[in-house]
Amino acid sequence: MNLKNFFEFNFDSLKIFLNQDLNIEEKKVLMRSKQIWQSVYKKGSFQINSLTTFPLELRSKLNNLISLEIPKIEKKQTSEDGTIKWLIKLFDKNEVECVYIPEKTRATLCISSQVGCTLNCRFCHTGTQRLVKNLSFAEIINQVMIAKEQLNDWGEQKKITNIVLMGMGEPFYNYENVRIAVGILKDKEGLNYGPKKITISTAGIANKIPEAAREIGTYLALSLHAPTDDIREMIMPINKKFKIKDLIEQCKYYSSV
């Protein structure tokens, strides 16, 4: 029997799963969902048997239905300044990168939203690769969990203080998975990153910026790279579709929400 992977649930779908598949009664579903959610996201539990807030009988049932497995690290590179880059092999054998960047007063984790990219920005290596796929929200969150596990970052004082979606891919071309992943990142019962600790970087998908302002609500970073449309179009072909004027208008809206 194929096990369901825990990281493919958001909190609402986890409650439904525990109620319908594990037959936990309605009045206890919220409590049990919080227990497993907190154990995984706050304490870094990656084994069902380590969910000690669950009775043994429930753990045994859960073991037959669900997996807490995360993808494996294919390659790790560490710089002299403490920066760490992980190449992660996903369950489908595709690979993505995430990077831990420590500074004096904070430490940032840069994560990816796609395997490859369609935008062909001249300054970006990922733009030389074809788009293979959008990452699921589980694959986005797994990058954070892998980094936290590597750094043993399960204390009250976070070692990874900031998350930026500035890795491989254009986040707004994978909008729905990014939206759900950010919701998991912000969940106070779990990873508990404030909206000002998360930044989404876009090459300028102007028509998604208002939606992100209303539904995601993190910091927004815009890759501008040029002061005029003519120059920007040479560097970033996406500017042929979304002009600088449009971007400025939508960014003004974003900052006003």
Side-chain angles (χ1 to χ4, degrees), residues 6-64:
F6 168 83
F7 297 101
E8 293 173 2
F9 296 106
N10 64 11
F11 191 72
D12 287 338
S13 61
L14 177 64
K15 287 192 293 182
I16 293 168
F17 168 78
L18 292 182
N19 177 235
Q20 295 182 353
D21 292 59
L22 205 59
N23 298 317
I24 293 176
E25 54 192 300
E26 195 75 45
K27 65 182 181 181
K28 291 185 178 178
V29 163
L30 179 61
M31 175 189 71
R32 293 301 185 199
S33 299
K34 281 186 177 180
Q35 285 175 336
I36 185 170
W37 196 261
Q38 291 170 349
S39 291
V40 174
Y41 285 124
K42 282 193 181 296
K43 299 175 184 176
S45 299
F46 292 99
Q47 300 290 333
I48 298 297
N49 288 333
S50 63
L51 305 178
T52 53
T53 51
F54 266 52
L56 279 172
E57 184 185 353
L58 266 184
R59 271 182 265 168
S60 178
K61 286 182 181 177
L62 202 57
N63 245 326
N64 293 321

Side-chain angles (χ1 to χ4, degrees), residues 1-5 8 17 21 62-67:
M1 183 174 68
N2 288 331
L3 300 181
K4 294 186 178 181
N5 189 285
E8 293 173 2
F17 168 78
D21 292 59
L62 202 57
N63 245 326
N64 293 321
L65 293 173
I66 200 170
S67 162

Side-chain angles (χ1 to χ4, degrees), residues 77-85 99-102:
Q77 292 177 302
T78 304
S79 174
E80 289 180 1
D81 64 2
T83 298
I84 305 171
K85 180 164 72 173
V99 183
Y100 170 72
I101 308 162

Side-chain angles (χ1 to χ4, degrees), residues 97-164:
E97 288 183 339
C98 68
V99 183
Y100 170 72
I101 308 162
E103 298 173 82
K104 284 184 178 179
T105 58
R106 64 181 185 178
T108 301
L109 185 70
C110 178
I111 61 177
S112 299
S113 57
Q114 296 179 310
V115 179
C117 191
T118 60
L119 296 184
N120 299 312
C121 300
R122 287 178 63 181
F123 52 82
C124 180
H125 180 67
T126 308
T128 65
Q129 306 170 34
R130 67 184 179 89
L131 177 68
V132 177
K133 66 172 215 169
N134 285 333
L135 296 183
S136 68
F137 69 83
E139 291 167 331
I140 295 171
I141 290 295
N142 279 162
Q143 296 170 67
V144 179
M145 297 302 288
I146 287 167
K148 285 177 74 71
E149 185 190 29
Q150 287 285 301
L151 298 166
N152 192 24
D153 185 17
W154 306 111
E156 284 297 314
Q157 194 69 35
K158 287 183 171 70
K159 293 178 183 177
I160 298 170
T161 60
N162 296 69
I163 308 281
V164 295

